[in-house]
Amino acid sequence: MAVREIRVFGDPLLRTAGELVDPAAPSTKALVQDLLDTVQLPGRAGVAAHQIGVASRAFSYLVDDRLGYVLNPELVETRGEEQEIDEGCLSVPDLGFPTPRFPWARVVGVDADGNRVELVGEGLMAQMLQHECAHLDGRLYISALEKQNRVRAMEAIRNAPWF
């Protein structure tokens, strides 16, 4: 399998809601391996299937030395009051903005064998769960920004060398 190139802002796939993944499909094993390989590069906490060019509901994560993936995840619960946390995205390279996130989150989904997976976390794990689930709904983190930060983000993106 392989480390896959990350799609960046402007790619229409990043604005597309993901399709459910069939855990038994032959392509699922390769997708999972590519997600796991891709998230293991330095500085990465999560990679959504959309970011590697696949409009499917799947993501991988590497948080606090915990490596894994989930298929067909649903963000089922958040707790606490939203706080603005500095956040970036591989699909919006080299930029970061204060993003409203809940301090605790729970996601449920399945693994490649169809077994139930539950991911619960606070701090960076909660942030990653919210961020990756938004990708699977076709939303980038910049859509969650407060208006003035979203304006700043769009201006920075227009001036970015990769755009």
Side-chain angles (χ1 to χ4, degrees):
M1 302 308 145
V3 171
R4 302 270 295 270
E5 184 176 338
I6 300 293
R7 304 277 181 112
V8 296
F9 182 90
D11 187 316
L13 186 66
L14 295 172
R15 299 284 187 180
T16 303
E19 299 290 325
L20 291 174
V21 176
D22 176 359
S27 59
T28 299
K29 183 178 180 180
L31 171 62
V32 166
Q33 192 59 58
D34 286 353
L35 285 167
L36 291 170
D37 290 347
T38 303
V39 79
Q40 291 183 68
L41 293 182
R44 297 181 174 186
V47 173
H50 289 66
Q51 293 178 285
I52 63 168
V54 181
S56 293
R57 296 194 67 81
F59 70 80
S60 60
Y61 60 92
L62 179 56
V63 176
D64 297 329
D65 295 323
R66 190 170 151 202
L67 174 67
Y69 71 93
V70 62
L71 307 175
N72 304 324
E74 290 182 53
L75 181 63
V76 295
E77 186 179 5
T78 55
R79 291 186 191 160
E81 291 189 33
E82 281 187 314
Q83 303 165 357
E84 286 197 339
I85 300 171
D86 286 335
E87 188 165 318
C89 179
L90 298 171
S91 293
V92 187
D94 304 321
L95 299 175
F97 295 92
T99 306
R101 294 291 183 201
F102 292 98
W104 186 93
R106 181 167 63 101
V107 165
V108 296
V110 297
D111 65 16
D113 295 320
N115 299 313
R116 184 176 193 272
V117 171
E118 180 177 44
L119 300 174
V120 176
E122 55 189 356
L124 180 59
M125 185 68 161
Q127 184 180 6
M128 179 278 299
L129 293 171
Q130 294 166 79
H131 183 107
E132 300 309 327
C133 285
H135 269 302
L136 305 183
D137 291 333
R139 294 188 328 268
L140 292 169
Y141 86 103
I142 56 176
S143 65
L145 300 178
E146 299 294 331
K147 185 177 180 179
Q148 73 182 41
N149 286 331
R150 193 168 42 251
V151 169
R152 285 182 37 232
M154 293 309 297
E155 183 177 326
I157 288 168
R158 281 192 293 276
N159 294 320
W162 48 263
F163 186 65

